[in-house]
Amino acid sequence: MLHKKFLLPLICCAICVILLCIVFPPAQAASSSEIREQINAMEQEQENLRHEMEKLESQIQQNTDELMALVANKAAIDQQINVLHKQISVSNDQIAAYALLMADKELELEKAEQYLAELNAAYKARVRAMEEEGQYSFWQVLFESRSLSDFLDRLNIIEEIARSDTKRLKQLQFTANLVAQAREELTVEKQALEAARLQLTADQLSLQLKSEQATTIVAELMDKGLEYELLLDQAERDEQALMEELAKLEDDFDDAVYQEWLATYVPPTTAPATPPVSDSGWLTPVTNYRLSSPFGMRPHPILGYDRMHNGIDMACPAWTPIYATRGGKVTIAKYSDSAGNYVQISHGDGYASVYMHMIQYVVSYGDYVAQGQLIGYVGNTGLSKGNHLHFGISYNGTYVNPMEYIG
């Protein structure tokens, strides 16, 4: 009864799980071809992103060139404004000096006009006195003279008055001309200075406007440059995120290929469950292999010239499991152009083993593995002409013949 009490909830839970699987079936893992399509699409997106980044870098350079040219032009304009400002200051000083000069001339003119007025008043007074006393004629002077000497004296007086009148008239005319000429010269000079100052002021205003426009454009270019920099930073972050996603998709692709291979792989019935272990304690890393290249000097199958072969090549089908020949710590698990995907294990006693050209490795740097633990699968990556495992053993950094250890 007690067993039935516990068994009934277990049966109910099992039924619920089955129903959930029927109603909500687990998501199908993407196939390798679907993942490859995603990878191709992302690689194209990455290429487009790189073109966009190159375009942004070109725009940044062009914007910088325009900014530098505009800054230089603005500096020249500001220098011209400073020169004009100095010229206007000099012109204002000249106008002020001419104002003082004109004040002096006005004082001289006032004195000249006063002198002219005095001459004119004296002339009018003398004429008025002559009119009051009566006009002198030649016959009056002749008949009123008491003697020849008196006649000559009177005649000399009349001539002296005539000469004095003529001289005064000339002085009046000269003074009037001098006053008119001085006024005209001062007026012309002042008008010329005013016109020059107005032109300088207009030029300064024009250059000031250009300087303000240049300042506005400089600010716009700086804002545009900052915008380009922000866009470039964002594009670089997008590229980094894309590369990380691509790396994950590459791992998913390798896993999908392996799962598809597992779905169709039928292990040979005659193969041993685990590779053999030699008398010295070293396990053979793969089963059912053919020794395709021994340890020592040989003509390289791809490069064509003789070079040292620091290991043995064990030919076997792709995806053949590879096992750790001894326990130890994974010191390398990465891809190399020559070794392809490869793993190195340090065994802690001076010995290390290396496994190259894997289609995939399943351990990571820093992992501790036991002897016989799966570390990867045979492949053809790197500098290789066919599916095989390059297996090597080193002691204190010097490669030795692996066949002397695995038998």
Side-chain angles (χ1 to χ4, degrees), residues 4-265:
K4 290 182 179 179
K5 181 178 179 181
F6 287 101
L7 186 60
L8 185 60
L10 291 176
I11 294 174
C12 292
C13 290
I15 293 173
C16 289
V17 170
I18 294 171
L19 289 175
L20 286 173
C21 292
I22 294 173
V23 177
F24 303 104
Q28 293 290 331
S31 65
S32 60
S33 60
E34 292 173 339
I35 295 176
R36 174 51 62 188
E37 290 179 359
Q38 295 178 23
I39 290 174
N40 293 338
M42 293 187 69
E43 287 177 345
Q44 182 61 46
E45 183 179 353
Q46 185 181 26
E47 185 68 20
N48 296 337
L49 191 59
R50 285 176 180 170
H51 286 316
E52 186 65 26
M53 290 170 64
E54 291 175 357
K55 181 180 178 182
L56 283 172
E57 290 173 351
S58 176
Q59 289 174 331
I60 289 174
Q61 184 60 48
Q62 181 180 357
N63 185 78
T64 302
D65 294 341
E66 292 179 4
L67 181 61
M68 296 304 294
L70 190 59
V71 168
N73 186 37
K74 183 179 180 300
I77 292 174
D78 292 340
Q79 187 175 3
Q80 291 178 358
I81 291 175
N82 291 333
V83 172
L84 282 176
H85 181 72
K86 292 178 181 179
Q87 291 178 346
I88 291 173
S89 178
V90 171
S91 179
N92 288 333
D93 292 341
Q94 290 177 338
I95 291 174
Y98 268 93
L100 293 176
L101 183 60
M102 289 181 68
D104 294 339
K105 289 291 184 182
E106 289 291 341
L107 183 60
E108 293 177 4
L109 291 174
E110 289 178 4
K111 291 180 179 180
E113 289 175 348
Q114 184 179 357
Y115 177 62
L116 181 61
E118 292 174 355
L119 289 177
N120 193 24
Y123 176 73
K124 289 180 178 179
R126 188 189 61 79
V127 171
R128 189 179 304 111
M130 291 177 63
E131 290 176 350
E132 291 175 356
E133 297 174 358
Q135 293 290 337
Y136 285 100
S137 67
F138 176 79
W139 297 109
Q140 286 177 322
V141 173
L142 177 62
F143 289 115
E144 291 179 0
S145 298
R146 292 186 295 274
S147 64
L148 179 61
S149 176
D150 185 29
F151 171 75
L152 294 175
D153 290 338
R154 290 176 180 269
L155 187 60
N156 288 333
I157 291 172
I158 293 173
E159 291 178 352
E160 185 64 28
I161 292 173
R163 283 195 298 269
S164 177
D165 290 342
T166 302
K167 183 178 179 180
R168 287 186 178 185
L169 287 174
K170 288 182 178 180
Q171 288 178 343
L172 288 173
Q173 186 64 41
F174 175 78
T175 304
N177 292 338
L178 181 63
V179 170
Q181 182 180 357
R183 282 178 174 172
E184 183 178 356
E185 290 176 356
L186 288 174
T187 302
V188 171
E189 291 174 356
K190 185 178 179 181
Q191 289 176 349
L193 278 175
E194 287 290 343
R197 187 178 65 83
L198 290 175
Q199 183 60 47
L200 288 173
T201 303
D203 293 341
Q204 185 185 32
L205 291 175
S206 176
L207 287 174
Q208 187 68 38
L209 179 61
K210 291 182 180 179
S211 178
E212 293 173 357
Q213 291 174 346
T215 301
T216 302
I217 298 174
V218 166
E220 292 175 355
L221 288 176
M222 292 180 67
D223 291 341
K224 187 181 294 183
L226 179 60
E227 180 183 352
Y228 287 153
E229 291 287 351
L230 293 176
L231 289 174
L232 184 60
D233 290 342
Q234 183 60 49
E236 290 175 349
R237 289 194 294 270
D238 292 344
E239 184 187 27
Q240 181 63 33
L242 195 61
M243 291 175 65
E244 293 174 359
E245 191 171 353
L246 270 173
K248 183 179 181 301
L249 280 176
E250 292 286 354
D251 293 338
D252 293 344
F253 175 76
D254 292 340
D255 291 339
V257 171
Y258 174 61
Q259 294 299 327
E260 291 169 1
W261 174 81
L262 283 180
T264 59
Y265 174 71

Side-chain angles (χ1 to χ4, degrees), residues 291-298 307-314 354 356 388-394 399-403:
L291 184 63
S292 58
S293 183
F295 178 85
M297 293 296 297
R298 65 162 187 177
R307 67 183 288 185
M308 183 64 185
H309 189 220
N310 293 317
I312 59 174
D313 287 345
M314 310 173 80
V354 64
M356 299 182 181
H388 74 284
L389 169 67
H390 173 94
F391 174 62
I393 296 175
S394 63
Y399 282 100
V400 295
N401 189 350
M403 294 304 294

